[in-house]
Amino acid sequence: MSDQATTAHPSLPGAAHSESAIAARSRMKTGHFKWKALIPALYIVFLLLPIYWLVNMSFKTNQEILGTLTLWPQNPTLRNYEVIFTDPSWYMGYVNSIIYVLMNMVISVAVALPAAYAFSRYRFLGDKHLFFWLLTNRMAPPAVFALPFFQLYSAFGLIDTHIAVALAHCLFNVPLAVWILEGFMSGVPKEIDETAYIDGYSFPKFFFKIFTPLIASGIGVAAFFCFMFSWVELLLARTLTVTDAKPISAIMTRTVSASGMDWGVLAAAGALTIIPGAIVIWFVRNYIAKGFALGRV
Amino acid sequence: MEKTWNNKAWFFVLPVLLLVAFSAVIPLMTVVNYSVQDSFGNNQFFWYGADWFREVLTSERFHDALLRNLLFSAIILAIEVPLGILVALAMPKKGIWVPVCLVLMALPLLIPWNVVGTIWQVFARTDIGLLGYTVDALGIDYNYVRNVLDAWVTVVVMDVWHWTSLVVLLCYAGLVSIPDAYYQAAKIDGASRWAVFRYIQLPKMGRVLLIAVLLRFMDSFMIYTEPFVVTGGGPGNSTTFLSIDLVKLAIGQFNIGEAAAMSLIYFLIILLLSWIFYTVMTNAGNDKPMTGGAE
């Protein structure tokens, strides 16, 4: 575990480690440390309580949920999860969500890479305006776009396909990916490009063999944020799908209104939507903080 | 970094341009198109000029939704930004707790927004939710479905729960990038805790804090799903924010022309306010005497 902790701050110069350990110890001596730890601890409890309640409910029978308020399931049951995993109209929702999220991630990062390279390395006609204009798309409320998107994608016969949702989510993910990648690329000295050209590398060979590995963490962070914002969005995903590509979160809302509140299944479905996010966070935990610090406004 | 002037760089930007043109420019043009026309149905449209815009700008309903949303964003920023800075400052800088804290804190950010709504809808219910039950047991009359204040408190607490972690993560990213030499220098100078915060940590967090404020402002101003799931915009219209109102207008009442005009005004307000935040915060950063050498 301790080497994970060290890798959490790759930005710190190695020489500073021992010095800051001394500083940390001296801070402990003065008694600040205990009080300080209380704030994040309380904050995390506040974050986890509602999630715990959802998970707790997902293991209860509806009778118990509606009957008495119990802090943990008295008669733990897996029935709620069984309902989801045996019914394709439920579990296909997860598959659909994951398909369009992955598609969006690939598209966003693929088109953002060359653009971010251009913004970080070259000046060209209208570059600053273009960059700002891209960012304004991040400020566009999805509610504004719901109806025109529906008409546009209907015209192309794309309604109820995964690619439609993936493309629609590019509206806010592409600007974000360009922005994050541009920050990371600007952190790579330009001399590396020049040396590679002198050594006889062609541009594609340089880009994929030398440059891409250097900004691998940046690509990871950009992909993470694309995953995040595509996974959590509902308004556009719901508008553009009917049945075949319907995301799990939309299936949840439909079933809630139809079946007279099956609280247990609702809680189980909700609890399951937390898992993919949790897995992804675990993989990028060392880069989350770093990713935004390198971004540029 | 010294950048080379090269207009061929446009070719690198081309894929992004085509994609964004498809997913942003064409839809936006559709909205503009609708905003200046009216229809009697049957897909027959006629020129309506700027009347929709006039109608929206003078409509009390739009003013109310706008004021509600401004108030909401102001409350959100006033709570989340200081709280986020506080938590980020108190977080351990190294050790086994760092990844644990980061992962647990990022958790709410990756929950689909309507599930966030569902979680709080359940959590705040007085019959089956822990929070609602506890508050009720304390003797406070709490009902977010009927009481306006309770609905607001629920929506605000939900948003604090949902998004404060973003501010924490950003500020934390800014804090860990400060070299230890700064703190040592401050210690030698005998600087107080407040002075360290004011003259070292705050300026160094300036950039990420700007990102945090901008993102939180934009997203709270566009909020739709979470309050819609929890309160459905009610009681009455008390939690009907701009996006909820817009969807009601466009899909509920199918008043496309007015909805389109409102969309454009809405978008322009976000752009304008984001620009103001950006300008004010960058200028405030430049005025600070300590930032000059540090950046």
Side-chain angles (χ1 to χ4, degrees), chain A residues 5 9 20 43 47 53 123 125 139 149 151 190 249 289 292-293 297, chain B residues 4 6-7 10 34 93-94 114 161 165 170 173 180 207 218 278:
Chain A
H9 315 283
S20 70
Y43 178 65
L47 293 187
W53 198 248
R123 296 230 47 215
L125 193 65
M139 305 173 198
F149 267 158
Q151 293 180 321
K190 213 183 166 192
S249 32
F292 260 155
V297 165
Chain B
T4 339
N6 188 345
N7 273 330
W10 268 95
Y34 280 136
K93 296 282 177 296
K94 51 193 52 171
N114 68 318
W161 177 84
S165 294
L170 284 164
D180 268 336
R207 195 184 53 173
M218 290 190 265
Y278 179 77

PDB file of all heavy atoms in Angstrom, chain A residues 5 9 20 43 47 53 123 125 139 149 151 190 249 289 292-293 297, chain B residues 4 6-7 10 34 93-94 114 161 165 170 173 180 207 218 278:
ATOM      1  N   ALA A   5       0.823   4.938  -2.243  1.00  0.00           N
ATOM      2  CA  ALA A   5       0.714   6.286  -1.695  1.00  0.00           C
ATOM      3  C   ALA A   5       1.773   7.190  -2.307  1.00  0.00           C
ATOM      4  O   ALA A   5       1.514   8.353  -2.580  1.00  0.00           O
ATOM      5  CB  ALA A   5       0.886   6.228  -0.190  1.00  0.00           C
ATOM      6  N   HIS A   9       1.620  10.945  -5.798  1.00  0.00           N
ATOM      7  CA  HIS A   9       2.141  12.289  -6.037  1.00  0.00           C
ATOM      8  C   HIS A   9       3.345  12.235  -6.950  1.00  0.00           C
ATOM      9  O   HIS A   9       4.453  12.545  -6.546  1.00  0.00           O
ATOM     10  CB  HIS A   9       2.585  12.943  -4.725  1.00  0.00           C
ATOM     11  CG  HIS A   9       1.607  12.757  -3.634  1.00  0.00           C
ATOM     12  ND1 HIS A   9       0.456  13.467  -3.547  1.00  0.00           N
ATOM     13  CD2 HIS A   9       1.612  11.904  -2.590  1.00  0.00           C
ATOM     14  CE1 HIS A   9      -0.211  13.074  -2.491  1.00  0.00           C
ATOM     15  NE2 HIS A   9       0.465  12.130  -1.901  1.00  0.00           N
ATOM     16  N   SER A  20       9.412  16.497   3.642  1.00  0.00           N
ATOM     17  CA  SER A  20       8.004  16.728   3.947  1.00  0.00           C
ATOM     18  C   SER A  20       7.516  15.746   4.995  1.00  0.00           C
ATOM     19  O   SER A  20       6.584  16.031   5.739  1.00  0.00           O
ATOM     20  CB  SER A  20       7.165  16.607   2.686  1.00  0.00           C
ATOM     21  OG  SER A  20       7.131  15.281   2.284  1.00  0.00           O
ATOM     22  N   TYR A  43     -16.665  14.103   6.267  1.00  0.00           N
ATOM     23  CA  TYR A  43     -17.146  14.340   4.906  1.00  0.00           C
ATOM     24  C   TYR A  43     -17.419  13.013   4.198  1.00  0.00           C
ATOM     25  O   TYR A  43     -18.437  12.849   3.533  1.00  0.00           O
ATOM     26  CB  TYR A  43     -16.107  15.163   4.142  1.00  0.00           C
ATOM     27  CG  TYR A  43     -16.462  15.426   2.715  1.00  0.00           C
ATOM     28  CD1 TYR A  43     -17.565  16.211   2.400  1.00  0.00           C
ATOM     29  CD2 TYR A  43     -15.707  14.891   1.679  1.00  0.00           C
ATOM     30  CE1 TYR A  43     -17.900  16.448   1.083  1.00  0.00           C
ATOM     31  CE2 TYR A  43     -16.035  15.130   0.365  1.00  0.00           C
ATOM     32  CZ  TYR A  43     -17.132  15.904   0.067  1.00  0.00           C
ATOM     33  OH  TYR A  43     -17.474  16.129  -1.238  1.00  0.00           O
ATOM     34  N   LEU A  47     -20.812  11.345   2.657  1.00  0.00           N
ATOM     35  CA  LEU A  47     -20.938  10.852   1.282  1.00  0.00           C
ATOM     36  C   LEU A  47     -21.463   9.421   1.254  1.00  0.00           C
ATOM     37  O   LEU A  47     -22.240   9.046   0.380  1.00  0.00           O
ATOM     38  CB  LEU A  47     -19.587  10.896   0.566  1.00  0.00           C
ATOM     39  CG  LEU A  47     -18.976  12.246   0.265  1.00  0.00           C
ATOM     40  CD1 LEU A  47     -17.730  12.072  -0.587  1.00  0.00           C
ATOM     41  CD2 LEU A  47     -19.969  13.134  -0.474  1.00  0.00           C
ATOM     42  N   TRP A  53     -27.415   3.478   2.435  1.00  0.00           N
ATOM     43  CA  TRP A  53     -28.857   3.274   2.565  1.00  0.00           C
ATOM     44  C   TRP A  53     -29.436   2.578   1.333  1.00  0.00           C
ATOM     45  O   TRP A  53     -30.300   1.706   1.436  1.00  0.00           O
ATOM     46  CB  TRP A  53     -29.555   4.615   2.819  1.00  0.00           C
ATOM     47  CG  TRP A  53     -30.917   4.432   3.385  1.00  0.00           C
ATOM     48  CD1 TRP A  53     -32.091   4.697   2.790  1.00  0.00           C
ATOM     49  CD2 TRP A  53     -31.216   3.885   4.666  1.00  0.00           C
ATOM     50  NE1 TRP A  53     -33.118   4.356   3.609  1.00  0.00           N
ATOM     51  CE2 TRP A  53     -32.614   3.852   4.769  1.00  0.00           C
ATOM     52  CE3 TRP A  53     -30.448   3.415   5.729  1.00  0.00           C
ATOM     53  CZ2 TRP A  53     -33.269   3.368   5.907  1.00  0.00           C
ATOM     54  CZ3 TRP A  53     -31.090   2.937   6.851  1.00  0.00           C
ATOM     55  CH2 TRP A  53     -32.478   2.922   6.923  1.00  0.00           C
ATOM     56  N   ARG A 123       0.586  27.744 -33.667  1.00  0.00           N
ATOM     57  CA  ARG A 123      -0.314  28.874 -33.713  1.00  0.00           C
ATOM     58  C   ARG A 123      -0.894  28.883 -35.118  1.00  0.00           C
ATOM     59  O   ARG A 123      -0.185  28.662 -36.085  1.00  0.00           O
ATOM     60  CB  ARG A 123       0.438  30.187 -33.467  1.00  0.00           C
ATOM     61  CG  ARG A 123       1.059  30.292 -32.101  1.00  0.00           C
ATOM     62  CD  ARG A 123       0.678  31.606 -31.462  1.00  0.00           C
ATOM     63  NE  ARG A 123      -0.752  31.845 -31.596  1.00  0.00           N
ATOM     64  CZ  ARG A 123      -1.282  33.053 -31.773  1.00  0.00           C
ATOM     65  NH1 ARG A 123      -0.524  34.103 -31.872  1.00  0.00           N
ATOM     66  NH2 ARG A 123      -2.598  33.193 -31.887  1.00  0.00           N
ATOM     67  N   LEU A 125      -4.369  30.395 -37.760  1.00  0.00           N
ATOM     68  CA  LEU A 125      -5.410  31.405 -37.915  1.00  0.00           C
ATOM     69  C   LEU A 125      -6.628  31.049 -37.053  1.00  0.00           C
ATOM     70  O   LEU A 125      -7.225  30.000 -37.236  1.00  0.00           O
ATOM     71  CB  LEU A 125      -5.800  31.498 -39.390  1.00  0.00           C
ATOM     72  CG  LEU A 125      -6.647  32.713 -39.774  1.00  0.00           C
ATOM     73  CD1 LEU A 125      -5.855  33.989 -39.582  1.00  0.00           C
ATOM     74  CD2 LEU A 125      -7.113  32.577 -41.213  1.00  0.00           C
ATOM     75  N   MET A 139     -20.626  24.422 -22.217  1.00  0.00           N
ATOM     76  CA  MET A 139     -21.574  25.232 -21.452  1.00  0.00           C
ATOM     77  C   MET A 139     -22.991  25.120 -21.998  1.00  0.00           C
ATOM     78  O   MET A 139     -23.896  25.766 -21.495  1.00  0.00           O
ATOM     79  CB  MET A 139     -21.163  26.702 -21.484  1.00  0.00           C
ATOM     80  CG  MET A 139     -19.755  26.961 -21.011  1.00  0.00           C
ATOM     81  SD  MET A 139     -19.322  28.691 -21.281  1.00  0.00           S
ATOM     82  CE  MET A 139     -17.553  28.608 -21.185  1.00  0.00           C
ATOM     83  N   PHE A 149     -31.611  17.472 -31.370  1.00  0.00           N
ATOM     84  CA  PHE A 149     -30.903  16.202 -31.546  1.00  0.00           C
ATOM     85  C   PHE A 149     -31.852  15.126 -32.039  1.00  0.00           C
ATOM     86  O   PHE A 149     -31.541  14.354 -32.936  1.00  0.00           O
ATOM     87  CB  PHE A 149     -30.300  15.729 -30.220  1.00  0.00           C
ATOM     88  CG  PHE A 149     -28.883  16.181 -30.026  1.00  0.00           C
ATOM     89  CD1 PHE A 149     -28.343  16.257 -28.766  1.00  0.00           C
ATOM     90  CD2 PHE A 149     -28.089  16.511 -31.112  1.00  0.00           C
ATOM     91  CE1 PHE A 149     -27.035  16.672 -28.578  1.00  0.00           C
ATOM     92  CE2 PHE A 149     -26.785  16.928 -30.934  1.00  0.00           C
ATOM     93  CZ  PHE A 149     -26.267  17.006 -29.663  1.00  0.00           C
ATOM     94  N   GLN A 151     -34.543  15.407 -33.739  1.00  0.00           N
ATOM     95  CA  GLN A 151     -34.898  15.593 -35.157  1.00  0.00           C
ATOM     96  C   GLN A 151     -33.739  15.279 -36.081  1.00  0.00           C
ATOM     97  O   GLN A 151     -33.897  14.616 -37.096  1.00  0.00           O
ATOM     98  CB  GLN A 151     -35.369  17.024 -35.363  1.00  0.00           C
ATOM     99  CG  GLN A 151     -36.668  17.272 -34.643  1.00  0.00           C
ATOM    100  CD  GLN A 151     -37.154  18.669 -34.818  1.00  0.00           C
ATOM    101  OE1 GLN A 151     -36.369  19.614 -34.817  1.00  0.00           O
ATOM    102  NE2 GLN A 151     -38.456  18.819 -34.954  1.00  0.00           N
ATOM    103  N   LYS A 190       8.922  20.796 -26.307  1.00  0.00           N
ATOM    104  CA  LYS A 190       8.858  20.740 -27.760  1.00  0.00           C
ATOM    105  C   LYS A 190      10.136  20.153 -28.356  1.00  0.00           C
ATOM    106  O   LYS A 190      10.148  19.650 -29.477  1.00  0.00           O
ATOM    107  CB  LYS A 190       8.653  22.155 -28.298  1.00  0.00           C
ATOM    108  CG  LYS A 190       7.824  22.140 -29.545  1.00  0.00           C
ATOM    109  CD  LYS A 190       7.667  23.490 -30.144  1.00  0.00           C
ATOM    110  CE  LYS A 190       7.116  23.263 -31.552  1.00  0.00           C
ATOM    111  NZ  LYS A 190       7.176  24.458 -32.340  1.00  0.00           N
ATOM    112  N   SER A 249     -30.195   3.715 -16.738  1.00  0.00           N
ATOM    113  CA  SER A 249     -30.820   4.734 -15.893  1.00  0.00           C
ATOM    114  C   SER A 249     -32.214   5.088 -16.393  1.00  0.00           C
ATOM    115  O   SER A 249     -33.103   5.400 -15.605  1.00  0.00           O
ATOM    116  CB  SER A 249     -29.927   5.964 -15.832  1.00  0.00           C
ATOM    117  OG  SER A 249     -29.219   6.138 -17.030  1.00  0.00           O
ATOM    118  N   ALA A 289      -6.501  13.504  -9.430  1.00  0.00           N
ATOM    119  CA  ALA A 289      -6.109  14.824  -8.941  1.00  0.00           C
ATOM    120  C   ALA A 289      -5.174  15.499  -9.944  1.00  0.00           C
ATOM    121  O   ALA A 289      -5.351  16.651 -10.298  1.00  0.00           O
ATOM    122  CB  ALA A 289      -5.432  14.690  -7.597  1.00  0.00           C
ATOM    123  N   PHE A 292      -6.641  17.214 -13.522  1.00  0.00           N
ATOM    124  CA  PHE A 292      -7.197  18.560 -13.636  1.00  0.00           C
ATOM    125  C   PHE A 292      -6.151  19.624 -13.372  1.00  0.00           C
ATOM    126  O   PHE A 292      -6.230  20.721 -13.893  1.00  0.00           O
ATOM    127  CB  PHE A 292      -8.365  18.721 -12.672  1.00  0.00           C
ATOM    128  CG  PHE A 292      -9.682  18.578 -13.355  1.00  0.00           C
ATOM    129  CD1 PHE A 292     -10.807  18.180 -12.676  1.00  0.00           C
ATOM    130  CD2 PHE A 292      -9.797  18.856 -14.707  1.00  0.00           C
ATOM    131  CE1 PHE A 292     -12.016  18.041 -13.311  1.00  0.00           C
ATOM    132  CE2 PHE A 292     -11.009  18.727 -15.356  1.00  0.00           C
ATOM    133  CZ  PHE A 292     -12.119  18.323 -14.650  1.00  0.00           C
ATOM    134  N   ALA A 293      -5.140  19.289 -12.569  1.00  0.00           N
ATOM    135  CA  ALA A 293      -4.129  20.293 -12.258  1.00  0.00           C
ATOM    136  C   ALA A 293      -3.387  20.707 -13.511  1.00  0.00           C
ATOM    137  O   ALA A 293      -2.916  21.827 -13.624  1.00  0.00           O
ATOM    138  CB  ALA A 293      -3.152  19.735 -11.232  1.00  0.00           C
ATOM    139  N   VAL A 297      -7.181  26.815 -18.534  1.00  0.00           N
ATOM    140  CA  VAL A 297      -8.396  27.548 -18.855  1.00  0.00           C
ATOM    141  C   VAL A 297      -8.086  28.588 -19.910  1.00  0.00           C
ATOM    142  O   VAL A 297      -7.131  29.319 -19.745  1.00  0.00           O
ATOM    143  CB  VAL A 297      -8.993  28.217 -17.615  1.00  0.00           C
ATOM    144  CG1 VAL A 297     -10.019  29.253 -18.008  1.00  0.00           C
ATOM    145  CG2 VAL A 297      -9.659  27.168 -16.750  1.00  0.00           C
TER     146      VAL A 297
ATOM    147  N   THR B   4       5.027  27.406 -33.144  1.00  0.00           N
ATOM    148  CA  THR B   4       5.287  27.756 -34.532  1.00  0.00           C
ATOM    149  C   THR B   4       3.989  28.166 -35.203  1.00  0.00           C
ATOM    150  O   THR B   4       2.949  27.572 -34.952  1.00  0.00           O
ATOM    151  CB  THR B   4       5.827  26.535 -35.306  1.00  0.00           C
ATOM    152  OG1 THR B   4       6.365  25.627 -34.367  1.00  0.00           O
ATOM    153  CG2 THR B   4       6.854  26.927 -36.326  1.00  0.00           C
ATOM    154  N   ASN B   6       1.680  27.855 -38.056  1.00  0.00           N
ATOM    155  CA  ASN B   6       1.493  26.894 -39.136  1.00  0.00           C
ATOM    156  C   ASN B   6       0.010  26.661 -39.362  1.00  0.00           C
ATOM    157  O   ASN B   6      -0.672  26.053 -38.542  1.00  0.00           O
ATOM    158  CB  ASN B   6       2.170  25.566 -38.766  1.00  0.00           C
ATOM    159  CG  ASN B   6       2.170  24.596 -39.930  1.00  0.00           C
ATOM    160  OD1 ASN B   6       1.444  24.795 -40.901  1.00  0.00           O
ATOM    161  ND2 ASN B   6       2.971  23.555 -39.831  1.00  0.00           N
ATOM    162  N   ASN B   7      -0.480  27.163 -40.486  1.00  0.00           N
ATOM    163  CA  ASN B   7      -1.912  27.033 -40.743  1.00  0.00           C
ATOM    164  C   ASN B   7      -2.332  25.626 -41.123  1.00  0.00           C
ATOM    165  O   ASN B   7      -3.515  25.311 -41.162  1.00  0.00           O
ATOM    166  CB  ASN B   7      -2.354  28.023 -41.817  1.00  0.00           C
ATOM    167  CG  ASN B   7      -2.706  29.354 -41.193  1.00  0.00           C
ATOM    168  OD1 ASN B   7      -3.147  29.397 -40.038  1.00  0.00           O
ATOM    169  ND2 ASN B   7      -2.495  30.432 -41.919  1.00  0.00           N
ATOM    170  N   TRP B  10      -4.664  23.312 -39.008  1.00  0.00           N
ATOM    171  CA  TRP B  10      -6.107  23.209 -39.184  1.00  0.00           C
ATOM    172  C   TRP B  10      -6.537  21.784 -39.529  1.00  0.00           C
ATOM    173  O   TRP B  10      -7.620  21.354 -39.149  1.00  0.00           O
ATOM    174  CB  TRP B  10      -6.584  24.169 -40.282  1.00  0.00           C
ATOM    175  CG  TRP B  10      -6.995  25.491 -39.728  1.00  0.00           C
ATOM    176  CD1 TRP B  10      -6.238  26.606 -39.640  1.00  0.00           C
ATOM    177  CD2 TRP B  10      -8.260  25.818 -39.164  1.00  0.00           C
ATOM    178  NE1 TRP B  10      -6.947  27.620 -39.059  1.00  0.00           N
ATOM    179  CE2 TRP B  10      -8.184  27.174 -38.759  1.00  0.00           C
ATOM    180  CE3 TRP B  10      -9.460  25.121 -38.952  1.00  0.00           C
ATOM    181  CZ2 TRP B  10      -9.255  27.828 -38.150  1.00  0.00           C
ATOM    182  CZ3 TRP B  10     -10.532  25.784 -38.358  1.00  0.00           C
ATOM    183  CH2 TRP B  10     -10.420  27.119 -37.968  1.00  0.00           C
ATOM    184  N   TYR B  34     -36.135  27.631 -35.321  1.00  0.00           N
ATOM    185  CA  TYR B  34     -37.429  27.577 -34.637  1.00  0.00           C
ATOM    186  C   TYR B  34     -37.758  28.868 -33.905  1.00  0.00           C
ATOM    187  O   TYR B  34     -38.919  29.253 -33.784  1.00  0.00           O
ATOM    188  CB  TYR B  34     -37.450  26.438 -33.616  1.00  0.00           C
ATOM    189  CG  TYR B  34     -37.703  25.092 -34.219  1.00  0.00           C
ATOM    190  CD1 TYR B  34     -36.946  23.988 -33.834  1.00  0.00           C
ATOM    191  CD2 TYR B  34     -38.715  24.914 -35.155  1.00  0.00           C
ATOM    192  CE1 TYR B  34     -37.175  22.742 -34.379  1.00  0.00           C
ATOM    193  CE2 TYR B  34     -38.944  23.675 -35.704  1.00  0.00           C
ATOM    194  CZ  TYR B  34     -38.179  22.594 -35.324  1.00  0.00           C
ATOM    195  OH  TYR B  34     -38.411  21.375 -35.855  1.00  0.00           O
ATOM    196  N   LYS B  93      -1.616  14.356   2.833  1.00  0.00           N
ATOM    197  CA  LYS B  93      -0.877  14.577   1.599  1.00  0.00           C
ATOM    198  C   LYS B  93      -0.225  13.285   1.106  1.00  0.00           C
ATOM    199  O   LYS B  93       0.119  13.154  -0.053  1.00  0.00           O
ATOM    200  CB  LYS B  93       0.201  15.642   1.794  1.00  0.00           C
ATOM    201  CG  LYS B  93      -0.363  17.004   2.120  1.00  0.00           C
ATOM    202  CD  LYS B  93      -0.903  17.701   0.894  1.00  0.00           C
ATOM    203  CE  LYS B  93      -1.536  19.034   1.246  1.00  0.00           C
ATOM    204  NZ  LYS B  93      -2.727  18.899   2.103  1.00  0.00           N
ATOM    205  N   LYS B  94       0.029  12.358   2.031  1.00  0.00           N
ATOM    206  CA  LYS B  94       0.590  11.079   1.603  1.00  0.00           C
ATOM    207  C   LYS B  94       0.235  10.025   2.631  1.00  0.00           C
ATOM    208  O   LYS B  94      -0.239  10.351   3.714  1.00  0.00           O
ATOM    209  CB  LYS B  94       2.107  11.175   1.424  1.00  0.00           C
ATOM    210  CG  LYS B  94       2.839  11.757   2.614  1.00  0.00           C
ATOM    211  CD  LYS B  94       4.246  12.096   2.221  1.00  0.00           C
ATOM    212  CE  LYS B  94       4.255  12.943   0.969  1.00  0.00           C
ATOM    213  NZ  LYS B  94       5.523  13.486   0.628  1.00  0.00           N
ATOM    214  N   ASN B 114     -29.768  10.431 -12.460  1.00  0.00           N
ATOM    215  CA  ASN B 114     -31.106  10.111 -11.953  1.00  0.00           C
ATOM    216  C   ASN B 114     -31.017   9.126 -10.796  1.00  0.00           C
ATOM    217  O   ASN B 114     -31.896   9.091  -9.949  1.00  0.00           O
ATOM    218  CB  ASN B 114     -32.006   9.581 -13.064  1.00  0.00           C
ATOM    219  CG  ASN B 114     -31.556   8.242 -13.538  1.00  0.00           C
ATOM    220  OD1 ASN B 114     -30.360   8.013 -13.698  1.00  0.00           O
ATOM    221  ND2 ASN B 114     -32.479   7.338 -13.733  1.00  0.00           N
ATOM    222  N   TRP B 161     -23.772  17.061  -1.722  1.00  0.00           N
ATOM    223  CA  TRP B 161     -23.327  15.671  -1.622  1.00  0.00           C
ATOM    224  C   TRP B 161     -22.730  15.206  -2.953  1.00  0.00           C
ATOM    225  O   TRP B 161     -21.705  14.551  -2.993  1.00  0.00           O
ATOM    226  CB  TRP B 161     -24.527  14.804  -1.259  1.00  0.00           C
ATOM    227  CG  TRP B 161     -24.246  13.333  -1.191  1.00  0.00           C
ATOM    228  CD1 TRP B 161     -23.741  12.662  -0.125  1.00  0.00           C
ATOM    229  CD2 TRP B 161     -24.467  12.368  -2.224  1.00  0.00           C
ATOM    230  NE1 TRP B 161     -23.621  11.327  -0.434  1.00  0.00           N
ATOM    231  CE2 TRP B 161     -24.053  11.119  -1.707  1.00  0.00           C
ATOM    232  CE3 TRP B 161     -24.957  12.439  -3.523  1.00  0.00           C
ATOM    233  CZ2 TRP B 161     -24.131   9.950  -2.460  1.00  0.00           C
ATOM    234  CZ3 TRP B 161     -25.024  11.282  -4.259  1.00  0.00           C
ATOM    235  CH2 TRP B 161     -24.623  10.055  -3.729  1.00  0.00           C
ATOM    236  N   SER B 165     -17.193  16.992  -4.028  1.00  0.00           N
ATOM    237  CA  SER B 165     -15.976  16.215  -4.263  1.00  0.00           C
ATOM    238  C   SER B 165     -15.202  16.736  -5.468  1.00  0.00           C
ATOM    239  O   SER B 165     -13.971  16.652  -5.489  1.00  0.00           O
ATOM    240  CB  SER B 165     -16.334  14.748  -4.492  1.00  0.00           C
ATOM    241  OG  SER B 165     -16.866  14.211  -3.330  1.00  0.00           O
ATOM    242  N   LEU B 170     -10.162  18.978  -7.298  1.00  0.00           N
ATOM    243  CA  LEU B 170      -9.438  20.023  -8.011  1.00  0.00           C
ATOM    244  C   LEU B 170      -8.495  20.773  -7.084  1.00  0.00           C
ATOM    245  O   LEU B 170      -7.321  20.974  -7.399  1.00  0.00           O
ATOM    246  CB  LEU B 170     -10.433  20.996  -8.654  1.00  0.00           C
ATOM    247  CG  LEU B 170     -11.114  20.484  -9.908  1.00  0.00           C
ATOM    248  CD1 LEU B 170     -12.331  21.314 -10.240  1.00  0.00           C
ATOM    249  CD2 LEU B 170     -10.145  20.525 -11.062  1.00  0.00           C
ATOM    250  N   ALA B 173      -5.584  18.711  -6.135  1.00  0.00           N
ATOM    251  CA  ALA B 173      -4.601  18.674  -7.229  1.00  0.00           C
ATOM    252  C   ALA B 173      -3.711  19.904  -7.187  1.00  0.00           C
ATOM    253  O   ALA B 173      -2.497  19.817  -7.369  1.00  0.00           O
ATOM    254  CB  ALA B 173      -5.322  18.588  -8.572  1.00  0.00           C
ATOM    255  N   ASP B 180       7.432  21.619  -1.359  1.00  0.00           N
ATOM    256  CA  ASP B 180       7.578  21.727   0.087  1.00  0.00           C
ATOM    257  C   ASP B 180       8.419  22.927   0.497  1.00  0.00           C
ATOM    258  O   ASP B 180       8.278  23.440   1.599  1.00  0.00           O
ATOM    259  CB  ASP B 180       8.216  20.453   0.639  1.00  0.00           C
ATOM    260  CG  ASP B 180       7.154  19.458   1.048  1.00  0.00           C
ATOM    261  OD1 ASP B 180       6.021  19.901   1.343  1.00  0.00           O
ATOM    262  OD2 ASP B 180       7.434  18.255   1.051  1.00  0.00           O
ATOM    263  N   ARG B 207      -5.699  28.618 -10.237  1.00  0.00           N
ATOM    264  CA  ARG B 207      -6.141  28.127 -11.535  1.00  0.00           C
ATOM    265  C   ARG B 207      -7.167  27.007 -11.402  1.00  0.00           C
ATOM    266  O   ARG B 207      -8.211  27.024 -12.041  1.00  0.00           O
ATOM    267  CB  ARG B 207      -4.941  27.644 -12.334  1.00  0.00           C
ATOM    268  CG  ARG B 207      -5.245  27.471 -13.788  1.00  0.00           C
ATOM    269  CD  ARG B 207      -4.072  26.903 -14.508  1.00  0.00           C
ATOM    270  NE  ARG B 207      -3.614  25.686 -13.861  1.00  0.00           N
ATOM    271  CZ  ARG B 207      -2.677  24.893 -14.337  1.00  0.00           C
ATOM    272  NH1 ARG B 207      -2.073  25.211 -15.448  1.00  0.00           N
ATOM    273  NH2 ARG B 207      -2.325  23.797 -13.717  1.00  0.00           N
ATOM    274  N   MET B 218     -21.500  26.300 -14.191  1.00  0.00           N
ATOM    275  CA  MET B 218     -22.155  25.847 -15.426  1.00  0.00           C
ATOM    276  C   MET B 218     -23.115  24.700 -15.123  1.00  0.00           C
ATOM    277  O   MET B 218     -24.262  24.695 -15.548  1.00  0.00           O
ATOM    278  CB  MET B 218     -21.101  25.365 -16.421  1.00  0.00           C
ATOM    279  CG  MET B 218     -20.256  26.448 -16.996  1.00  0.00           C
ATOM    280  SD  MET B 218     -19.275  25.813 -18.349  1.00  0.00           S
ATOM    281  CE  MET B 218     -17.753  25.401 -17.653  1.00  0.00           C
ATOM    282  N   TYR B 278     -14.893  34.237 -15.240  1.00  0.00           N
ATOM    283  CA  TYR B 278     -13.532  34.044 -15.736  1.00  0.00           C
ATOM    284  C   TYR B 278     -12.736  35.334 -15.615  1.00  0.00           C
ATOM    285  O   TYR B 278     -11.640  35.362 -15.057  1.00  0.00           O
ATOM    286  CB  TYR B 278     -13.582  33.558 -17.186  1.00  0.00           C
ATOM    287  CG  TYR B 278     -12.221  33.359 -17.788  1.00  0.00           C
ATOM    288  CD1 TYR B 278     -11.479  32.227 -17.467  1.00  0.00           C
ATOM    289  CD2 TYR B 278     -11.679  34.299 -18.646  1.00  0.00           C
ATOM    290  CE1 TYR B 278     -10.225  32.040 -17.997  1.00  0.00           C
ATOM    291  CE2 TYR B 278     -10.419  34.119 -19.177  1.00  0.00           C
ATOM    292  CZ  TYR B 278      -9.698  32.992 -18.856  1.00  0.00           C
ATOM    293  OH  TYR B 278      -8.447  32.818 -19.369  1.00  0.00           O
TER     294      TYR B 278
END
